[in-house]
Each structure stands twice: as structure tokens, then as C-alpha cells.
Amino acid sequence: MKKHIFRFVFSIFLIVSFAQVKAACNDEELNYWATQTKVEFSESTSIHAESTGYAYFLSVSPLREDITIKVTDQGGNSDYAKKHSYVYYERNKNGNEELVKKEIYGVGCFTNLEEETYTVEIYGGDDSSCKNELLKTLTYTVPRYNRMIKNKLCEDYPNHELCKPFTNKTKSMSQSEFEKKIKEDNPTPKPERSLIVKILLYSLYVIIPFAIITVVYMIKVKNYKGRRK
């Protein structure tokens, strides 16, 4: 009798336990979206006051509202994505810079002095058909902080690949090697010809030939008139 009671209680326990386990996500559209996602890395070098000092943000692309993003660094520190408001300067159609305010949904990260690899987990959000279900796990490696960015040459050539805020390409470079590479890729342009030189060249190739042709023509006309007389 006791044996049957034990089996009955154990069966009820299993049923209750299985009832509490969430089923796998069966939303085909959401699952397909997850297969297309990739990590979105956004530098905040031009972001001002409201960025709370973050060096960059990690999010996913394409983005949708019914998901939750969790980012974990190599040290095991985790944070969930949220909306961050930030402002930056953008050049408008008239060529003038204006202050633009935008929002980004992601996890803010601070400057990493060395290369850092993050684990990005995507879950179904509260409004999705797969609430709290893990949809996809991604990894993303951010290069080390570029110490060469403080070099004055990076002010002159901010778009050079060696002047990016985060890159491994300058890891083993000395200051002299860095400057040599920048100058090799950006040779000093030849000085523009002065106005006087331009006038002399114009005279040499345009005015002088025209004057010679005019003189020859006048001589021929004079000789022709002389023969007729």
C-alpha cells in the first residue's frame, strides 16, 4: 500500500514539475529573425553629456522591440540592454553642424585597455510569444584601446585606420613607426602654383602663340596689299 502511495505522490510531483518548465520557442517568425541577427557595435566618441561616460554600446541588428539583450564580459559581469539617450553633432544639408538627439537600445561599455570578448544573449521579451526564452547567443570581440589616438597626426587624419579609437593594428607599433606609416599614406601635397607662375604659363601657351599668329597674319595682309598696288 505504501509503495502505491509513493508512486502516486511521485507521479504528481513529476507532472507539476514538467508543467513549470517553459516550452521551447515555437514562433517561426521570431526564430527566423534570430538567425539573421548580428552584434551592432556603436562607438560613442562623438557622443556628449547624456552618454554617462560609456566608450561604446553593444546591441543587435536588426533590432525589434519584443526582445531582451544580456551582455556579459570576460570577467563575468553582466548587464541588460536599455534605452540610452545621447546627443552628437551632425552636419546638415546646408553644411552646418547641428546638435542631434537620438536613442540607442543596448548595453553601455567602458574603455577596455586590452582586447575584450563579450557574450551577447538574446531572449524573448515580455511582449513576445517566447517570453524569457533564449533565442540566440553571439560573441563579439572589441579590439584594444588605441593609445596612438592621442598623437597629433590623428587630429589631422581622424579617418585613418590607425586612428580608430579601438584597433589592434597599433599594438606593436612605436611612435616613430606610427608617424612614419601615417605620413606614407598621406604624403604632403605639392604646393599650389603661385599666381605669377600661372600667368607666365598662360602667356607661354596662349598669349605668345596668339601674338605670333597675329603678327604673321598682319605681315601676309600687308604683303598682299603691296602686291596689288
Side-chain angles (χ1 to χ4, degrees):
M1 182 70 178
K2 290 182 179 180
K3 190 174 182 180
H4 290 295
I5 294 174
F6 174 77
R7 286 180 178 177
F8 176 77
V9 173
F10 184 70
S11 299
I12 296 296
F13 173 76
L14 288 178
I15 292 172
V16 173
S17 299
F18 281 123
Q20 293 177 345
V21 174
K22 295 181 176 62
C25 180
N26 293 317
D27 188 324
E28 293 184 5
E29 189 273 332
L30 189 57
N31 282 323
Y32 176 77
W33 167 85
T35 64
Q36 309 299 309
T37 56
K38 62 180 181 179
V39 177
E40 186 76 14
F41 173 82
S42 303
E43 293 179 8
S44 62
T45 52
S46 60
I47 295 174
H48 299 278
E50 299 178 54
S51 66
T52 63
Y54 292 121
Y56 50 87
F57 296 93
L58 294 179
S59 185
V60 297
S61 176
L63 188 62
R64 55 191 294 160
E65 295 183 353
D66 58 346
I67 61 166
T68 299
I69 303 171
K70 180 183 178 182
V71 176
T72 306
D73 64 17
Q74 292 176 182
N77 302 304
S78 300
D79 196 7
Y80 287 90
K82 62 181 179 180
K83 287 185 177 180
H84 296 271
S85 296
Y86 65 94
V87 291
Y88 67 99
Y89 286 99
E90 185 176 75
R91 197 172 296 279
N92 57 29
K93 294 181 180 179
N94 298 323
N96 302 318
E97 286 192 341
E98 60 181 10
L99 202 61
V100 179
K101 183 176 181 178
K102 287 190 176 182
E103 287 187 340
I104 185 171
Y105 179 73
V107 174
C109 304
F110 298 101
T111 299
N112 51 290
L113 297 180
E114 297 299 330
E115 188 177 85
E116 180 82 24
T117 298
Y118 295 89
T119 301
V120 181
E121 296 173 308
I122 307 172
Y123 294 86
D126 292 339
D127 299 329
S128 76
S129 57
C130 299
K131 181 179 178 180
N132 299 329
E133 292 292 338
L134 179 63
L135 303 174
K136 191 173 185 179
T137 300
L138 300 164
T139 58
Y140 188 85
T141 299
V142 179
R144 70 198 300 270
Y145 175 70
N146 181 17
R147 296 177 177 85
M148 297 296 181
I149 199 172
K150 298 180 180 179
N151 190 293
K152 187 180 182 304
L153 285 174
C154 282
E155 296 179 9
D156 300 328
Y157 308 102
N159 296 322
H160 194 282
E161 63 177 357
L162 297 183
C163 289
K164 292 180 178 179
F166 298 92
T167 178
N168 290 327
K169 292 185 177 181
T170 60
K171 183 176 182 179
S172 58
M173 277 188 172
S174 64
Q175 286 285 346
S176 58
E177 290 173 334
F178 168 79
E179 293 176 0
K180 181 181 178 181
K181 177 61 177 173
I182 294 287
K183 290 176 181 177
E184 285 178 352
D185 295 342
N186 300 276
T188 304
K190 295 180 181 179
E192 189 177 356
R193 291 168 175 169
S194 65
L195 180 60
I196 296 177
V197 173
K198 288 182 179 180
I199 293 174
L200 290 175
L201 290 173
Y202 182 78
S203 300
L204 179 62
Y205 293 105
V206 179
I207 297 178
I208 293 177
F210 179 77
I212 292 173
I213 293 172
T214 302
V215 170
V216 171
Y217 176 78
M218 290 177 67
I219 291 172
K220 287 185 176 182
V221 170
K222 186 176 181 181
N223 291 338
Y224 175 75
K225 288 182 178 179
R227 288 198 300 270
R228 291 197 64 179
K229 288 180 180 181

